[in-house]
PDB file of all heavy atoms in Angstrom:
ATOM      1  N   ALA A 875       5.875   0.131   7.513  1.00 97.00           N
ATOM      2  CA  ALA A 875       4.458   0.479   7.650  1.00 97.00           C
ATOM      3  C   ALA A 875       3.936   0.122   9.040  1.00 97.00           C
ATOM      4  O   ALA A 875       3.141   0.865   9.630  1.00 97.00           O
ATOM      5  CB  ALA A 875       3.642  -0.235   6.574  1.00 97.00           C
ATOM      6  N   LEU A 876       4.380  -0.998   9.565  1.00 98.00           N
ATOM      7  CA  LEU A 876       3.984  -1.384  10.925  1.00 98.00           C
ATOM      8  C   LEU A 876       4.512  -0.367  11.934  1.00 98.00           C
ATOM      9  O   LEU A 876       3.806   0.022  12.873  1.00 98.00           O
ATOM     10  CB  LEU A 876       4.506  -2.778  11.250  1.00 98.00           C
ATOM     11  CG  LEU A 876       3.835  -3.941  10.505  1.00 98.00           C
ATOM     12  CD1 LEU A 876       4.672  -5.211  10.640  1.00 98.00           C
ATOM     13  CD2 LEU A 876       2.426  -4.196  11.037  1.00 98.00           C
ATOM     14  N   ALA A 877       5.755   0.078  11.743  1.00 97.00           N
ATOM     15  CA  ALA A 877       6.335   1.068  12.642  1.00 97.00           C
ATOM     16  C   ALA A 877       5.579   2.392  12.559  1.00 97.00           C
ATOM     17  O   ALA A 877       5.307   3.034  13.582  1.00 97.00           O
ATOM     18  CB  ALA A 877       7.815   1.278  12.313  1.00 97.00           C
ATOM     19  N   GLN A 878       5.223   2.804  11.357  1.00 96.00           N
ATOM     20  CA  GLN A 878       4.509   4.071  11.199  1.00 96.00           C
ATOM     21  C   GLN A 878       3.161   4.033  11.906  1.00 96.00           C
ATOM     22  O   GLN A 878       2.740   5.028  12.498  1.00 96.00           O
ATOM     23  CB  GLN A 878       4.325   4.398   9.716  1.00 96.00           C
ATOM     24  CG  GLN A 878       3.699   5.770   9.479  1.00 96.00           C
ATOM     25  CD  GLN A 878       4.503   6.894  10.104  1.00 96.00           C
ATOM     26  OE1 GLN A 878       5.720   6.967   9.935  1.00 96.00           O
ATOM     27  NE2 GLN A 878       3.827   7.772  10.850  1.00 96.00           N
ATOM     28  N   ARG A 879       2.491   2.885  11.874  1.00 95.00           N
ATOM     29  CA  ARG A 879       1.204   2.767  12.571  1.00 95.00           C
ATOM     30  C   ARG A 879       1.402   2.937  14.085  1.00 95.00           C
ATOM     31  O   ARG A 879       0.564   3.542  14.756  1.00 95.00           O
ATOM     32  CB  ARG A 879       0.577   1.405  12.254  1.00 95.00           C
ATOM     33  CG  ARG A 879      -0.755   1.145  12.945  1.00 95.00           C
ATOM     34  CD  ARG A 879      -1.882   2.079  12.511  1.00 95.00           C
ATOM     35  NE  ARG A 879      -2.201   1.963  11.106  1.00 95.00           N
ATOM     36  CZ  ARG A 879      -2.942   0.983  10.571  1.00 95.00           C
ATOM     37  NH1 ARG A 879      -3.424   0.031  11.333  1.00 95.00           N
ATOM     38  NH2 ARG A 879      -3.179   0.970   9.280  1.00 95.00           N
ATOM     39  N   VAL A 880       2.514   2.422  14.609  1.00 96.00           N
ATOM     40  CA  VAL A 880       2.802   2.632  16.031  1.00 96.00           C
ATOM     41  C   VAL A 880       3.007   4.118  16.311  1.00 96.00           C
ATOM     42  O   VAL A 880       2.490   4.663  17.287  1.00 96.00           O
ATOM     43  CB  VAL A 880       4.039   1.814  16.471  1.00 96.00           C
ATOM     44  CG1 VAL A 880       4.414   2.152  17.919  1.00 96.00           C
ATOM     45  CG2 VAL A 880       3.769   0.318  16.347  1.00 96.00           C
ATOM     46  N   VAL A 881       3.760   4.790  15.439  1.00 94.00           N
ATOM     47  CA  VAL A 881       3.995   6.228  15.605  1.00 94.00           C
ATOM     48  C   VAL A 881       2.672   6.979  15.594  1.00 94.00           C
ATOM     49  O   VAL A 881       2.433   7.865  16.426  1.00 94.00           O
ATOM     50  CB  VAL A 881       4.923   6.762  14.501  1.00 94.00           C
ATOM     51  CG1 VAL A 881       5.017   8.282  14.556  1.00 94.00           C
ATOM     52  CG2 VAL A 881       6.311   6.148  14.637  1.00 94.00           C
ATOM     53  N   ASP A 882       1.812   6.623  14.668  1.00 91.00           N
ATOM     54  CA  ASP A 882       0.509   7.287  14.575  1.00 91.00           C
ATOM     55  C   ASP A 882      -0.276   7.128  15.879  1.00 91.00           C
ATOM     56  O   ASP A 882      -0.993   8.045  16.299  1.00 91.00           O
ATOM     57  CB  ASP A 882      -0.300   6.707  13.415  1.00 91.00           C
ATOM     58  CG  ASP A 882       0.331   6.999  12.057  1.00 91.00           C
ATOM     59  OD1 ASP A 882       1.196   7.894  11.991  1.00 91.00           O
ATOM     60  OD2 ASP A 882      -0.030   6.311  11.084  1.00 91.00           O
ATOM     61  N   GLY A 883      -0.120   5.968  16.513  1.00 88.00           N
ATOM     62  CA  GLY A 883      -0.841   5.711  17.762  1.00 88.00           C
ATOM     63  C   GLY A 883      -0.255   6.421  18.964  1.00 88.00           C
ATOM     64  O   GLY A 883      -0.883   6.469  20.029  1.00 88.00           O
ATOM     65  N   LEU A 884       0.951   6.985  18.811  1.00 83.00           N
ATOM     66  CA  LEU A 884       1.570   7.695  19.926  1.00 83.00           C
ATOM     67  C   LEU A 884       0.999   9.086  20.114  1.00 83.00           C
ATOM     68  O   LEU A 884       1.287   9.737  21.123  1.00 83.00           O
ATOM     69  CB  LEU A 884       3.084   7.807  19.706  1.00 83.00           C
ATOM     70  CG  LEU A 884       3.908   6.544  19.890  1.00 83.00           C
ATOM     71  CD1 LEU A 884       5.369   6.827  19.555  1.00 83.00           C
ATOM     72  CD2 LEU A 884       3.790   6.020  21.309  1.00 83.00           C
ATOM     73  N   GLY A 885       0.194   9.542  19.174  1.00 72.00           N
ATOM     74  CA  GLY A 885      -0.339  10.894  19.251  1.00 72.00           C
ATOM     75  C   GLY A 885      -0.905  11.281  20.609  1.00 72.00           C
ATOM     76  O   GLY A 885      -0.515  12.305  21.183  1.00 72.00           O
ATOM     77  N   PRO A 886      -1.816  10.447  21.181  1.00 65.00           N
ATOM     78  CA  PRO A 886      -2.413  10.816  22.466  1.00 65.00           C
ATOM     79  C   PRO A 886      -1.425  10.845  23.625  1.00 65.00           C
ATOM     80  O   PRO A 886      -1.725  11.395  24.682  1.00 65.00           O
ATOM     81  CB  PRO A 886      -3.466   9.713  22.675  1.00 65.00           C
ATOM     82  CG  PRO A 886      -3.736   9.155  21.318  1.00 65.00           C
ATOM     83  CD  PRO A 886      -2.428   9.260  20.591  1.00 65.00           C
ATOM     84  N   VAL A 887      -0.241  10.231  23.454  1.00 68.00           N
ATOM     85  CA  VAL A 887       0.730  10.208  24.548  1.00 68.00           C
ATOM     86  C   VAL A 887       1.316  11.604  24.783  1.00 68.00           C
ATOM     87  O   VAL A 887       1.729  11.940  25.885  1.00 68.00           O
ATOM     88  CB  VAL A 887       1.854   9.191  24.238  1.00 68.00           C
ATOM     89  CG1 VAL A 887       2.925   9.204  25.316  1.00 68.00           C
ATOM     90  CG2 VAL A 887       1.266   7.793  24.100  1.00 68.00           C
ATOM     91  N   ARG A 888       1.349  12.430  23.747  1.00 71.00           N
ATOM     92  CA  ARG A 888       1.826  13.811  23.841  1.00 71.00           C
ATOM     93  C   ARG A 888       3.226  13.873  24.463  1.00 71.00           C
ATOM     94  O   ARG A 888       3.416  14.342  25.577  1.00 71.00           O
ATOM     95  CB  ARG A 888       0.831  14.667  24.639  1.00 71.00           C
ATOM     96  CG  ARG A 888      -0.507  14.851  23.952  1.00 71.00           C
ATOM     97  CD  ARG A 888      -1.367  15.848  24.686  1.00 71.00           C
ATOM     98  NE  ARG A 888      -1.633  15.445  26.055  1.00 71.00           N
ATOM     99  CZ  ARG A 888      -2.605  14.601  26.414  1.00 71.00           C
ATOM    100  NH1 ARG A 888      -3.393  14.067  25.491  1.00 71.00           N
ATOM    101  NH2 ARG A 888      -2.791  14.293  27.676  1.00 71.00           N
ATOM    102  N   LEU A 889       4.206  13.393  23.722  1.00 77.00           N
ATOM    103  CA  LEU A 889       5.581  13.412  24.201  1.00 77.00           C
ATOM    104  C   LEU A 889       6.080  14.849  24.347  1.00 77.00           C
ATOM    105  O   LEU A 889       5.930  15.664  23.439  1.00 77.00           O
ATOM    106  CB  LEU A 889       6.487  12.651  23.232  1.00 77.00           C
ATOM    107  CG  LEU A 889       6.223  11.146  23.082  1.00 77.00           C
ATOM    108  CD1 LEU A 889       7.143  10.562  22.026  1.00 77.00           C
ATOM    109  CD2 LEU A 889       6.408  10.430  24.406  1.00 77.00           C
ATOM    110  N   GLY A 890       6.667  15.120  25.485  1.00 78.00           N
ATOM    111  CA  GLY A 890       7.263  16.426  25.716  1.00 78.00           C
ATOM    112  C   GLY A 890       8.703  16.455  25.252  1.00 78.00           C
ATOM    113  O   GLY A 890       9.271  15.417  24.883  1.00 78.00           O
ATOM    114  N   PRO A 891       9.331  17.610  25.286  1.00 81.00           N
ATOM    115  CA  PRO A 891      10.704  17.735  24.776  1.00 81.00           C
ATOM    116  C   PRO A 891      11.719  16.916  25.570  1.00 81.00           C
ATOM    117  O   PRO A 891      12.803  16.618  25.061  1.00 81.00           O
ATOM    118  CB  PRO A 891      10.985  19.238  24.890  1.00 81.00           C
ATOM    119  CG  PRO A 891       9.986  19.744  25.876  1.00 81.00           C
ATOM    120  CD  PRO A 891       8.780  18.892  25.739  1.00 81.00           C
ATOM    121  N   GLU A 892      11.405  16.555  26.820  1.00 84.00           N
ATOM    122  CA  GLU A 892      12.340  15.789  27.637  1.00 84.00           C
ATOM    123  C   GLU A 892      11.949  14.316  27.740  1.00 84.00           C
ATOM    124  O   GLU A 892      12.646  13.545  28.402  1.00 84.00           O
ATOM    125  CB  GLU A 892      12.432  16.394  29.038  1.00 84.00           C
ATOM    126  CG  GLU A 892      12.964  17.822  29.049  1.00 84.00           C
ATOM    127  CD  GLU A 892      13.075  18.383  30.454  1.00 84.00           C
ATOM    128  OE1 GLU A 892      12.838  17.622  31.413  1.00 84.00           O
ATOM    129  OE2 GLU A 892      13.396  19.570  30.585  1.00 84.00           O
ATOM    130  N   ASP A 893      10.871  13.925  27.124  1.00 88.00           N
ATOM    131  CA  ASP A 893      10.423  12.539  27.212  1.00 88.00           C
ATOM    132  C   ASP A 893      11.298  11.633  26.364  1.00 88.00           C
ATOM    133  O   ASP A 893      11.807  12.022  25.305  1.00 88.00           O
ATOM    134  CB  ASP A 893       8.966  12.416  26.753  1.00 88.00           C
ATOM    135  CG  ASP A 893       7.999  12.995  27.770  1.00 88.00           C
ATOM    136  OD1 ASP A 893       8.472  13.454  28.816  1.00 88.00           O
ATOM    137  OD2 ASP A 893       6.787  12.986  27.516  1.00 88.00           O
ATOM    138  N   ARG A 894      11.465  10.397  26.845  1.00 92.00           N
ATOM    139  CA  ARG A 894      12.270   9.397  26.151  1.00 92.00           C
ATOM    140  C   ARG A 894      11.476   8.103  26.043  1.00 92.00           C
ATOM    141  O   ARG A 894      10.576   7.840  26.843  1.00 92.00           O
ATOM    142  CB  ARG A 894      13.583   9.136  26.904  1.00 92.00           C
ATOM    143  CG  ARG A 894      14.379  10.373  27.259  1.00 92.00           C
ATOM    144  CD  ARG A 894      14.866  11.116  26.042  1.00 92.00           C
ATOM    145  NE  ARG A 894      15.782  10.294  25.237  1.00 92.00           N
ATOM    146  CZ  ARG A 894      16.275  10.679  24.071  1.00 92.00           C
ATOM    147  NH1 ARG A 894      15.922  11.855  23.560  1.00 92.00           N
ATOM    148  NH2 ARG A 894      17.105   9.897  23.403  1.00 92.00           N
ATOM    149  N   LEU A 895      11.846   7.282  25.049  1.00 95.00           N
ATOM    150  CA  LEU A 895      11.168   6.009  24.815  1.00 95.00           C
ATOM    151  C   LEU A 895      12.152   4.858  24.985  1.00 95.00           C
ATOM    152  O   LEU A 895      13.307   4.938  24.559  1.00 95.00           O
ATOM    153  CB  LEU A 895      10.592   5.958  23.397  1.00 95.00           C
ATOM    154  CG  LEU A 895       9.593   7.040  22.999  1.00 95.00           C
ATOM    155  CD1 LEU A 895       9.244   6.899  21.516  1.00 95.00           C
ATOM    156  CD2 LEU A 895       8.342   6.970  23.856  1.00 95.00           C
ATOM    157  N   VAL A 896      11.680   3.788  25.600  1.00 97.00           N
ATOM    158  CA  VAL A 896      12.386   2.510  25.622  1.00 97.00           C
ATOM    159  C   VAL A 896      11.488   1.507  24.915  1.00 97.00           C
ATOM    160  O   VAL A 896      10.291   1.397  25.233  1.00 97.00           O
ATOM    161  CB  VAL A 896      12.696   2.051  27.053  1.00 97.00           C
ATOM    162  CG1 VAL A 896      13.303   0.650  27.055  1.00 97.00           C
ATOM    163  CG2 VAL A 896      13.645   3.030  27.737  1.00 97.00           C
ATOM    164  N   LEU A 897      12.021   0.799  23.932  1.00 98.00           N
ATOM    165  CA  LEU A 897      11.230  -0.105  23.110  1.00 98.00           C
ATOM    166  C   LEU A 897      11.613  -1.540  23.416  1.00 98.00           C
ATOM    167  O   LEU A 897      12.789  -1.904  23.346  1.00 98.00           O
ATOM    168  CB  LEU A 897      11.476   0.182  21.624  1.00 98.00           C
ATOM    169  CG  LEU A 897      11.375   1.651  21.176  1.00 98.00           C
ATOM    170  CD1 LEU A 897      11.692   1.754  19.680  1.00 98.00           C
ATOM    171  CD2 LEU A 897      10.006   2.215  21.484  1.00 98.00           C
ATOM    172  N   LEU A 898      10.611  -2.354  23.765  1.00 98.00           N
ATOM    173  CA  LEU A 898      10.813  -3.784  23.972  1.00 98.00           C
ATOM    174  C   LEU A 898       9.865  -4.525  23.044  1.00 98.00           C
ATOM    175  O   LEU A 898       8.644  -4.426  23.191  1.00 98.00           O
ATOM    176  CB  LEU A 898      10.545  -4.171  25.424  1.00 98.00           C
ATOM    177  CG  LEU A 898      10.471  -5.674  25.739  1.00 98.00           C
ATOM    178  CD1 LEU A 898      11.748  -6.397  25.336  1.00 98.00           C
ATOM    179  CD2 LEU A 898      10.177  -5.912  27.213  1.00 98.00           C
ATOM    180  N   GLY A 899      10.424  -5.236  22.076  1.00 98.00           N
ATOM    181  CA  GLY A 899       9.586  -5.939  21.110  1.00 98.00           C
ATOM    182  C   GLY A 899       9.915  -7.409  21.064  1.00 98.00           C
ATOM    183  O   GLY A 899      11.083  -7.805  21.140  1.00 98.00           O
ATOM    184  N   HIS A 900       8.869  -8.223  20.925  1.00 98.00           N
ATOM    185  CA  HIS A 900       9.041  -9.673  20.809  1.00 98.00           C
ATOM    186  C   HIS A 900       8.905 -10.098  19.355  1.00 98.00           C
ATOM    187  O   HIS A 900       7.914  -9.769  18.704  1.00 98.00           O
ATOM    188  CB  HIS A 900       7.996 -10.403  21.652  1.00 98.00           C
ATOM    189  CG  HIS A 900       7.979 -11.882  21.411  1.00 98.00           C
ATOM    190  ND1 HIS A 900       6.900 -12.535  20.848  1.00 98.00           N
ATOM    191  CD2 HIS A 900       8.922 -12.832  21.622  1.00 98.00           C
ATOM    192  CE1 HIS A 900       7.181 -13.821  20.735  1.00 98.00           C
ATOM    193  NE2 HIS A 900       8.391 -14.027  21.201  1.00 98.00           N
ATOM    194  N   SER A 901       9.894 -10.803  18.838  1.00 98.00           N
ATOM    195  CA  SER A 901       9.826 -11.417  17.512  1.00 98.00           C
ATOM    196  C   SER A 901       9.529 -10.346  16.459  1.00 98.00           C
ATOM    197  O   SER A 901      10.309  -9.416  16.283  1.00 98.00           O
ATOM    198  CB  SER A 901       8.782 -12.543  17.532  1.00 98.00           C
ATOM    199  OG  SER A 901       8.936 -13.434  16.455  1.00 98.00           O
ATOM    200  N   LEU A 902       8.398 -10.410  15.780  1.00 98.00           N
ATOM    201  CA  LEU A 902       8.017  -9.363  14.831  1.00 98.00           C
ATOM    202  C   LEU A 902       8.088  -7.993  15.488  1.00 98.00           C
ATOM    203  O   LEU A 902       8.571  -7.021  14.890  1.00 98.00           O
ATOM    204  CB  LEU A 902       6.602  -9.625  14.313  1.00 98.00           C
ATOM    205  CG  LEU A 902       5.932  -8.494  13.533  1.00 98.00           C
ATOM    206  CD1 LEU A 902       6.665  -8.220  12.232  1.00 98.00           C
ATOM    207  CD2 LEU A 902       4.463  -8.823  13.270  1.00 98.00           C
ATOM    208  N   GLY A 903       7.597  -7.889  16.727  1.00 98.00           N
ATOM    209  CA  GLY A 903       7.616  -6.610  17.431  1.00 98.00           C
ATOM    210  C   GLY A 903       9.015  -6.082  17.663  1.00 98.00           C
ATOM    211  O   GLY A 903       9.236  -4.866  17.713  1.00 98.00           O
ATOM    212  N   GLY A 904       9.985  -6.990  17.796  1.00 98.00           N
ATOM    213  CA  GLY A 904      11.363  -6.557  17.950  1.00 98.00           C
ATOM    214  C   GLY A 904      11.891  -5.915  16.693  1.00 98.00           C
ATOM    215  O   GLY A 904      12.655  -4.929  16.749  1.00 98.00           O
ATOM    216  N   VAL A 905      11.504  -6.442  15.541  1.00 98.00           N
ATOM    217  CA  VAL A 905      11.922  -5.841  14.268  1.00 98.00           C
ATOM    218  C   VAL A 905      11.254  -4.476  14.105  1.00 98.00           C
ATOM    219  O   VAL A 905      11.894  -3.507  13.670  1.00 98.00           O
ATOM    220  CB  VAL A 905      11.563  -6.765  13.090  1.00 98.00           C
ATOM    221  CG1 VAL A 905      12.072  -6.161  11.785  1.00 98.00           C
ATOM    222  CG2 VAL A 905      12.151  -8.155  13.285  1.00 98.00           C
ATOM    223  N   VAL A 906       9.981  -4.381  14.467  1.00 98.00           N
ATOM    224  CA  VAL A 906       9.283  -3.096  14.390  1.00 98.00           C
ATOM    225  C   VAL A 906       9.960  -2.079  15.306  1.00 98.00           C
ATOM    226  O   VAL A 906      10.110  -0.902  14.950  1.00 98.00           O
ATOM    227  CB  VAL A 906       7.798  -3.270  14.754  1.00 98.00           C
ATOM    228  CG1 VAL A 906       7.092  -1.926  14.815  1.00 98.00           C
ATOM    229  CG2 VAL A 906       7.106  -4.186  13.744  1.00 98.00           C
ATOM    230  N   ALA A 907      10.412  -2.532  16.475  1.00 98.00           N
ATOM    231  CA  ALA A 907      11.114  -1.633  17.396  1.00 98.00           C
ATOM    232  C   ALA A 907      12.382  -1.081  16.757  1.00 98.00           C
ATOM    233  O   ALA A 907      12.690   0.108  16.882  1.00 98.00           O
ATOM    234  CB  ALA A 907      11.440  -2.367  18.692  1.00 98.00           C
ATOM    235  N   LEU A 908      13.129  -1.933  16.048  1.00 98.00           N
ATOM    236  CA  LEU A 908      14.331  -1.460  15.363  1.00 98.00           C
ATOM    237  C   LEU A 908      13.976  -0.436  14.286  1.00 98.00           C
ATOM    238  O   LEU A 908      14.686   0.563  14.102  1.00 98.00           O
ATOM    239  CB  LEU A 908      15.083  -2.634  14.744  1.00 98.00           C
ATOM    240  CG  LEU A 908      15.743  -3.599  15.739  1.00 98.00           C
ATOM    241  CD1 LEU A 908      16.313  -4.806  14.993  1.00 98.00           C
ATOM    242  CD2 LEU A 908      16.841  -2.893  16.527  1.00 98.00           C
ATOM    243  N   ALA A 909      12.889  -0.676  13.577  1.00 98.00           N
ATOM    244  CA  ALA A 909      12.456   0.282  12.555  1.00 98.00           C
ATOM    245  C   ALA A 909      12.062   1.614  13.184  1.00 98.00           C
ATOM    246  O   ALA A 909      12.308   2.685  12.610  1.00 98.00           O
ATOM    247  CB  ALA A 909      11.288  -0.301  11.754  1.00 98.00           C
TER     248      ALA A 909
END
């Protein structure tokens, strides 16, 4: 659920077909990054 909320917040970023993500999470955030 925490991960889905992050996805929902990505809407305004408008990822294009060639865009890529790098995820850096601390502690709880690291687990959310894996999810």
Side-chain angles (χ1 to χ4, degrees):
L876 290 165
Q878 185 58 48
R879 179 65 62 79
V880 174
V881 172
D882 294 343
L884 287 177
V887 177
R888 294 188 301 276
L889 296 176
E892 298 181 6
D893 287 359
R894 309 296 298 175
L895 302 174
V896 174
L897 311 178
L898 169 57
H900 171 245
S901 198
L902 168 65
V905 183
V906 174
L908 291 173

